[in-house]
């Protein structure tokens, strides 16, 4: 998937009014995911993405393997994206949905193996319908 297609899909699925908003949602989500992953997993995901999008997983704070909850994940996305947590949650779901279609299922499986079970809701919710409440 090319950069414009990825961002266009995020914009459509997250119902964002501009490509700039979709870019911010993508960056906020992937940078936060990179903070949670360790051992080169963020780099492995980045290698299968368009370079401009992969860079969000490669930044200096990535690969820390920082331990934080799904709730904290959404709070961090919210701060980075500068939207409320409810919007950030919906946008992150859309970004992860597009990510799952853009990289191999093996890479998604490897990334998910590093995350606690509560993150399954994020990867399984998709960008449509409701997601169980995060506490």
């Amino acid at each position: 998937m090319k950069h414009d297609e990825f961002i266009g899909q995020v914009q459509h699925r997250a119902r964002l009014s501009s490509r700039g908003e979709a870019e911010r949602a993508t960056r906020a989500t992937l940078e936060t995911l990179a903070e949670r992953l360790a051992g080169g997993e963020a780099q492995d995901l980045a290698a299968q993405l368009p370079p401009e999008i992969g860079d969000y997983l490669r930044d200096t704070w990535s690969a820390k393997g920082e331990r934080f909850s799904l709730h904290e994940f959404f709070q961090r996305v919210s701060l980075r994206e500068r939207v409320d947590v409810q919007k950030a949650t919906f946008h992150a779901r859309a970004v992860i949905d597009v990510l799952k279609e853009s990289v191999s299922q093996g890479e998604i499986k490897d990334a998910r193996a590093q995350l606690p079970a509560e993150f399954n809701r994020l990867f399984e919710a998709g960008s449509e319908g409701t997601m169980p409440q995060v506490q």
Side-chain angles (χ1 to χ4, degrees):
M1 186 176 291
K2 295 187 185 296
H3 174 268
D4 288 344
E5 184 181 358
F6 191 105
I7 296 303
Q9 284 295 316
V10 170
Q11 181 180 358
H12 173 73
R13 294 177 197 196
R15 300 182 201 118
L16 296 166
S17 60
S18 73
R19 294 183 66 75
E21 289 175 320
E23 194 79 49
R24 274 192 305 281
T26 300
R27 181 179 193 139
T29 301
L30 296 181
E31 285 179 350
T32 305
L33 180 62
E35 287 178 327
R36 189 65 179 76
L37 298 174
E41 191 53 45
Q43 295 286 343
D44 292 346
L45 283 170
Q48 293 188 18
L49 293 169
E52 308 93 334
I53 293 171
D55 285 347
Y56 300 147
L57 291 159
R58 289 187 199 100
D59 284 330
T60 57
W61 55 80
S62 68
K64 290 182 182 178
E66 236 183 288
R67 303 277 183 211
F68 51 83
S69 68
L70 183 58
H71 178 70
E72 174 71 15
F73 176 88
F74 291 132
Q75 288 181 321
R76 290 179 185 210
V77 172
S78 171
L79 289 172
R80 280 193 167 105
E81 194 180 349
R82 292 183 298 255
V83 298
D84 65 49
V85 174
Q86 184 177 2
K87 286 181 182 176
T89 299
F90 183 63
H91 299 166
R93 288 173 55 194
V95 172
I96 295 298
D97 207 26
V98 176
L99 177 69
K100 288 181 349 189
E101 294 175 6
S102 302
V103 301
S104 72
Q105 290 307 301
E107 281 308 322
I108 293 296
K109 184 179 175 183
D110 290 348
R112 288 180 69 174
Q114 290 193 14
L115 302 170
E118 69 176 328
F119 277 75
N120 290 342
R121 291 183 283 170
L122 173 61
F123 282 84
E124 294 167 3
S127 56
E128 297 293 325
T130 59
M131 185 173 94
Q133 188 68 20
V134 177
Q135 300 299 327

